[in-house]
mmCIF file of all heavy atoms in Angstrom:
data_model
loop_
_atom_site.group_PDB
_atom_site.id
_atom_site.type_symbol
_atom_site.label_atom_id
_atom_site.label_comp_id
_atom_site.label_asym_id
_atom_site.label_seq_id
_atom_site.Cartn_x
_atom_site.Cartn_y
_atom_site.Cartn_z
ATOM 1 N N LEU A 295 10.497 -43.500 31.535
ATOM 2 C CA LEU A 295 11.338 -44.617 31.088
ATOM 3 C C LEU A 295 10.493 -45.886 31.175
ATOM 4 O O LEU A 295 10.447 -46.556 32.207
ATOM 5 C CB LEU A 295 12.592 -44.748 31.972
ATOM 6 C CG LEU A 295 13.453 -43.488 32.153
ATOM 7 C CD1 LEU A 295 14.605 -43.773 33.120
ATOM 8 C CD2 LEU A 295 13.986 -42.988 30.823
ATOM 9 N N VAL A 306 21.402 -47.642 31.326
ATOM 10 C CA VAL A 306 20.896 -46.279 31.129
ATOM 11 C C VAL A 306 21.513 -45.398 32.215
ATOM 12 O O VAL A 306 21.375 -45.676 33.406
ATOM 13 C CB VAL A 306 19.360 -46.229 31.208
ATOM 14 C CG1 VAL A 306 18.861 -44.792 31.135
ATOM 15 C CG2 VAL A 306 18.754 -47.065 30.091
ATOM 16 N N ARG A 307 22.193 -44.362 31.802
ATOM 17 C CA ARG A 307 22.891 -43.492 32.754
ATOM 18 C C ARG A 307 22.294 -42.090 32.685
ATOM 19 O O ARG A 307 22.188 -41.500 31.606
ATOM 20 C CB ARG A 307 24.381 -43.443 32.424
ATOM 21 C CG ARG A 307 25.212 -42.601 33.393
ATOM 22 C CD ARG A 307 26.672 -42.577 32.958
ATOM 23 N NE ARG A 307 27.493 -41.762 33.833
ATOM 24 C CZ ARG A 307 28.202 -42.216 34.847
ATOM 25 N NH1 ARG A 307 28.205 -43.515 35.114
ATOM 26 N NH2 ARG A 307 28.929 -41.405 35.600
ATOM 27 N N MET A 308 21.923 -41.540 33.842
ATOM 28 C CA MET A 308 21.411 -40.177 33.926
ATOM 29 C C MET A 308 22.290 -39.405 34.904
ATOM 30 O O MET A 308 22.521 -39.853 36.030
ATOM 31 C CB MET A 308 19.953 -40.174 34.386
ATOM 32 C CG MET A 308 19.050 -41.050 33.547
ATOM 33 S SD MET A 308 17.284 -40.838 33.885
ATOM 34 C CE MET A 308 16.947 -39.328 32.985
ATOM 35 N N GLU A 309 22.763 -38.250 34.457
ATOM 36 C CA GLU A 309 23.761 -37.533 35.252
ATOM 37 C C GLU A 309 23.608 -36.027 35.104
ATOM 38 O O GLU A 309 23.438 -35.514 33.998
ATOM 39 C CB GLU A 309 25.155 -37.969 34.793
ATOM 40 C CG GLU A 309 26.302 -37.371 35.569
ATOM 41 C CD GLU A 309 27.639 -37.965 35.166
ATOM 42 O OE1 GLU A 309 27.664 -38.843 34.282
ATOM 43 O OE2 GLU A 309 28.658 -37.554 35.734
ATOM 44 N N CYS A 326 8.720 -45.100 35.534
ATOM 45 C CA CYS A 326 9.947 -45.850 35.314
ATOM 46 C C CYS A 326 9.692 -47.328 35.557
ATOM 47 O O CYS A 326 9.205 -47.716 36.614
ATOM 48 C CB CYS A 326 11.007 -45.309 36.272
ATOM 49 S SG CYS A 326 12.644 -45.965 36.047
ATOM 50 N N VAL A 329 14.058 -50.898 33.887
ATOM 51 C CA VAL A 329 15.258 -50.179 33.468
ATOM 52 C C VAL A 329 16.394 -50.501 34.426
ATOM 53 O O VAL A 329 16.209 -50.499 35.643
ATOM 54 C CB VAL A 329 15.035 -48.649 33.458
ATOM 55 C CG1 VAL A 329 16.244 -47.936 32.881
ATOM 56 C CG2 VAL A 329 13.794 -48.296 32.670
ATOM 57 N N LYS A 330 17.575 -50.745 33.876
ATOM 58 C CA LYS A 330 18.775 -50.942 34.686
ATOM 59 C C LYS A 330 19.789 -49.866 34.325
ATOM 60 O O LYS A 330 20.035 -49.595 33.158
ATOM 61 C CB LYS A 330 19.376 -52.320 34.441
ATOM 62 C CG LYS A 330 18.507 -53.471 34.919
ATOM 63 C CD LYS A 330 19.173 -54.809 34.647
ATOM 64 C CE LYS A 330 18.301 -55.967 35.124
ATOM 65 N NZ LYS A 330 18.927 -57.290 34.833
ATOM 66 N N GLY A 331 20.380 -49.277 35.350
ATOM 67 C CA GLY A 331 21.369 -48.245 35.109
ATOM 68 C C GLY A 331 21.640 -47.480 36.376
ATOM 69 O O GLY A 331 21.385 -47.960 37.483
ATOM 70 N N GLU A 332 22.161 -46.263 36.233
ATOM 71 C CA GLU A 332 22.480 -45.469 37.415
ATOM 72 C C GLU A 332 22.161 -44.005 37.196
ATOM 73 O O GLU A 332 22.075 -43.531 36.061
ATOM 74 C CB GLU A 332 23.950 -45.630 37.805
ATOM 75 C CG GLU A 332 24.941 -45.032 36.842
ATOM 76 C CD GLU A 332 26.368 -45.083 37.372
ATOM 77 O OE1 GLU A 332 26.566 -45.518 38.512
ATOM 78 O OE2 GLU A 332 27.286 -44.666 36.637
ATOM 79 N N ARG A 333 21.979 -43.310 38.308
ATOM 80 C CA ARG A 333 21.721 -41.880 38.280
ATOM 81 C C ARG A 333 22.716 -41.173 39.191
ATOM 82 O O ARG A 333 23.116 -41.697 40.232
ATOM 83 C CB ARG A 333 20.295 -41.578 38.731
ATOM 84 C CG ARG A 333 20.048 -41.807 40.214
ATOM 85 C CD ARG A 333 18.620 -41.512 40.620
ATOM 86 N NE ARG A 333 18.452 -41.441 42.060
ATOM 87 C CZ ARG A 333 18.192 -42.470 42.849
ATOM 88 N NH1 ARG A 333 18.074 -43.693 42.324
ATOM 89 N NH2 ARG A 333 18.045 -42.306 44.153
ATOM 90 N N ILE A 334 23.134 -39.992 38.770
ATOM 91 C CA ILE A 334 24.011 -39.153 39.571
ATOM 92 C C ILE A 334 23.474 -37.734 39.505
ATOM 93 O O ILE A 334 23.445 -37.125 38.434
ATOM 94 C CB ILE A 334 25.465 -39.192 39.063
ATOM 95 C CG1 ILE A 334 26.034 -40.611 39.126
ATOM 96 C CG2 ILE A 334 26.346 -38.240 39.856
ATOM 97 C CD1 ILE A 334 27.419 -40.746 38.529
ATOM 98 N N SER A 335 23.005 -37.248 40.616
ATOM 99 C CA SER A 335 22.501 -35.875 40.720
ATOM 100 C C SER A 335 21.391 -35.613 39.704
ATOM 101 O O SER A 335 21.552 -34.843 38.753
ATOM 102 C CB SER A 335 23.650 -34.869 40.535
ATOM 103 O OG SER A 335 23.206 -33.556 40.793
ATOM 104 N N VAL A 336 20.232 -36.266 39.925
ATOM 105 C CA VAL A 336 19.091 -36.148 39.022
ATOM 106 C C VAL A 336 17.873 -35.628 39.790
ATOM 107 O O VAL A 336 17.486 -36.205 40.807
ATOM 108 C CB VAL A 336 18.755 -37.501 38.358
ATOM 109 C CG1 VAL A 336 17.515 -37.370 37.482
ATOM 110 C CG2 VAL A 336 19.936 -37.998 37.536
ATOM 111 N N VAL A 340 15.006 -40.558 39.924
ATOM 112 C CA VAL A 340 14.483 -41.688 39.159
ATOM 113 C C VAL A 340 14.736 -42.954 39.987
ATOM 114 O O VAL A 340 15.842 -43.502 39.971
ATOM 115 C CB VAL A 340 15.165 -41.781 37.785
ATOM 116 C CG1 VAL A 340 14.574 -42.929 36.972
ATOM 117 C CG2 VAL A 340 15.024 -40.469 37.025
ATOM 118 N N PRO A 341 13.723 -43.437 40.707
ATOM 119 C CA PRO A 341 13.962 -44.488 41.704
ATOM 120 C C PRO A 341 14.400 -45.824 41.129
ATOM 121 O O PRO A 341 15.030 -46.615 41.829
ATOM 122 C CB PRO A 341 12.599 -44.607 42.412
ATOM 123 C CG PRO A 341 11.612 -44.054 41.434
ATOM 124 C CD PRO A 341 12.325 -42.983 40.700
ATOM 125 N N CYS A 342 14.083 -46.107 39.865
ATOM 126 C CA CYS A 342 14.439 -47.423 39.329
ATOM 127 C C CYS A 342 15.893 -47.504 38.897
ATOM 128 O O CYS A 342 16.375 -48.582 38.532
ATOM 129 C CB CYS A 342 13.528 -47.790 38.161
ATOM 130 S SG CYS A 342 13.622 -46.653 36.773
ATOM 131 N N LEU A 343 16.611 -46.381 38.917
ATOM 132 C CA LEU A 343 18.040 -46.397 38.617
ATOM 133 C C LEU A 343 18.839 -46.367 39.910
ATOM 134 O O LEU A 343 18.469 -45.677 40.873
ATOM 135 C CB LEU A 343 18.421 -45.197 37.753
ATOM 136 C CG LEU A 343 17.779 -45.106 36.369
ATOM 137 C CD1 LEU A 343 18.241 -43.837 35.653
ATOM 138 C CD2 LEU A 343 18.091 -46.324 35.524
ATOM 139 N N SER A 344 19.933 -47.090 39.939
ATOM 140 C CA SER A 344 20.790 -47.116 41.124
ATOM 141 C C SER A 344 21.437 -45.754 41.324
ATOM 142 O O SER A 344 21.838 -45.094 40.358
ATOM 143 C CB SER A 344 21.885 -48.171 40.966
ATOM 144 O OG SER A 344 21.336 -49.452 40.784
ATOM 145 N N ALA A 345 21.551 -45.348 42.575
ATOM 146 C CA ALA A 345 22.186 -44.077 42.876
ATOM 147 C C ALA A 345 23.689 -44.198 42.684
ATOM 148 O O ALA A 345 24.338 -45.060 43.268
ATOM 149 C CB ALA A 345 21.876 -43.650 44.310
ATOM 150 N N GLY A 346 24.255 -43.333 41.834
ATOM 151 C CA GLY A 346 25.694 -43.311 41.625
ATOM 152 C C GLY A 346 26.384 -42.562 42.731
ATOM 153 O O GLY A 346 25.771 -42.071 43.675
ATOM 154 N N CYS A 347 27.703 -42.416 42.591
ATOM 155 C CA CYS A 347 28.518 -41.921 43.685
ATOM 156 C C CYS A 347 28.105 -40.549 44.178
ATOM 157 O O CYS A 347 27.985 -40.317 45.356
ATOM 158 C CB CYS A 347 29.981 -41.887 43.263
ATOM 159 S SG CYS A 347 31.092 -41.387 44.578
ATOM 160 N N ALA A 348 27.882 -39.621 43.266
ATOM 161 C CA ALA A 348 27.604 -38.251 43.685
ATOM 162 C C ALA A 348 26.298 -38.142 44.442
ATOM 163 O O ALA A 348 26.051 -37.182 45.141
ATOM 164 C CB ALA A 348 27.573 -37.325 42.478
ATOM 165 N N ALA A 349 25.408 -39.161 44.311
ATOM 166 C CA ALA A 349 24.125 -39.132 45.002
ATOM 167 C C ALA A 349 24.204 -39.743 46.392
ATOM 168 O O ALA A 349 23.279 -39.697 47.159
ATOM 169 C CB ALA A 349 23.076 -39.877 44.181
ATOM 170 N N MET A 350 25.347 -40.348 46.750
ATOM 171 C CA MET A 350 25.480 -40.997 48.042
ATOM 172 C C MET A 350 25.983 -39.997 49.083
ATOM 173 O O MET A 350 26.572 -38.973 48.765
ATOM 174 C CB MET A 350 26.453 -42.161 47.943
ATOM 175 C CG MET A 350 25.977 -43.278 47.021
ATOM 176 S SD MET A 350 27.196 -44.600 46.993
ATOM 177 C CE MET A 350 26.392 -45.719 45.848
ATOM 178 N N ILE A 376 34.712 -50.892 39.094
ATOM 179 C CA ILE A 376 33.592 -51.810 39.210
ATOM 180 C C ILE A 376 33.872 -53.064 38.400
ATOM 181 O O ILE A 376 34.318 -52.990 37.259
ATOM 182 C CB ILE A 376 32.311 -51.129 38.725
ATOM 183 C CG1 ILE A 376 31.941 -49.991 39.684
ATOM 184 C CG2 ILE A 376 31.161 -52.116 38.613
ATOM 185 C CD1 ILE A 376 30.740 -49.213 39.250
ATOM 186 N N ASP A 403 30.908 -55.555 43.192
ATOM 187 C CA ASP A 403 29.617 -56.238 43.267
ATOM 188 C C ASP A 403 28.592 -55.675 42.286
ATOM 189 O O ASP A 403 27.440 -56.096 42.272
ATOM 190 C CB ASP A 403 29.053 -56.162 44.688
ATOM 191 C CG ASP A 403 28.877 -54.735 45.187
ATOM 192 O OD1 ASP A 403 29.126 -53.794 44.390
ATOM 193 O OD2 ASP A 403 28.512 -54.554 46.358
ATOM 194 N N GLY A 404 29.006 -54.697 41.504
ATOM 195 C CA GLY A 404 28.077 -54.099 40.544
ATOM 196 C C GLY A 404 27.121 -53.111 41.162
ATOM 197 O O GLY A 404 26.279 -52.542 40.479
ATOM 198 N N LYS A 405 27.220 -52.883 42.456
ATOM 199 C CA LYS A 405 26.321 -51.951 43.137
ATOM 200 C C LYS A 405 27.102 -50.803 43.783
ATOM 201 O O LYS A 405 26.779 -49.644 43.610
ATOM 202 C CB LYS A 405 25.504 -52.688 44.202
ATOM 203 C CG LYS A 405 24.605 -53.771 43.618
ATOM 204 C CD LYS A 405 23.857 -54.496 44.732
ATOM 205 C CE LYS A 405 22.969 -55.598 44.158
ATOM 206 N NZ LYS A 405 22.245 -56.337 45.209
ATOM 207 N N THR A 406 28.127 -51.168 44.553
ATOM 208 C CA THR A 406 28.916 -50.153 45.228
ATOM 209 C C THR A 406 29.682 -49.327 44.219
ATOM 210 O O THR A 406 30.358 -49.867 43.345
ATOM 211 C CB THR A 406 29.909 -50.815 46.208
ATOM 212 O OG1 THR A 406 29.189 -51.661 47.090
ATOM 213 C CG2 THR A 406 30.659 -49.756 46.999
ATOM 214 N N ASP A 407 29.571 -48.000 44.322
ATOM 215 C CA ASP A 407 30.318 -47.153 43.406
ATOM 216 C C ASP A 407 31.757 -47.067 43.892
ATOM 217 O O ASP A 407 32.037 -46.578 44.972
ATOM 218 C CB ASP A 407 29.707 -45.747 43.360
ATOM 219 C CG ASP A 407 30.366 -44.917 42.278
ATOM 220 O OD1 ASP A 407 31.560 -44.630 42.419
ATOM 221 O OD2 ASP A 407 29.699 -44.581 41.288
#
Side-chain angles (χ1 to χ4, degrees):
L295 307 177
V306 175
R307 182 182 179 95
M308 306 190 79
E309 183 174 0
C326 186
V329 186
K330 293 180 180 179
E332 68 173 356
R333 71 181 193 272
I334 299 175
S335 187
V336 177
V340 182
C342 61
L343 297 179
S344 301
C347 184
M350 296 180 181
I376 293 177
D403 58 4
K405 298 178 181 179
T406 305
D407 187 294

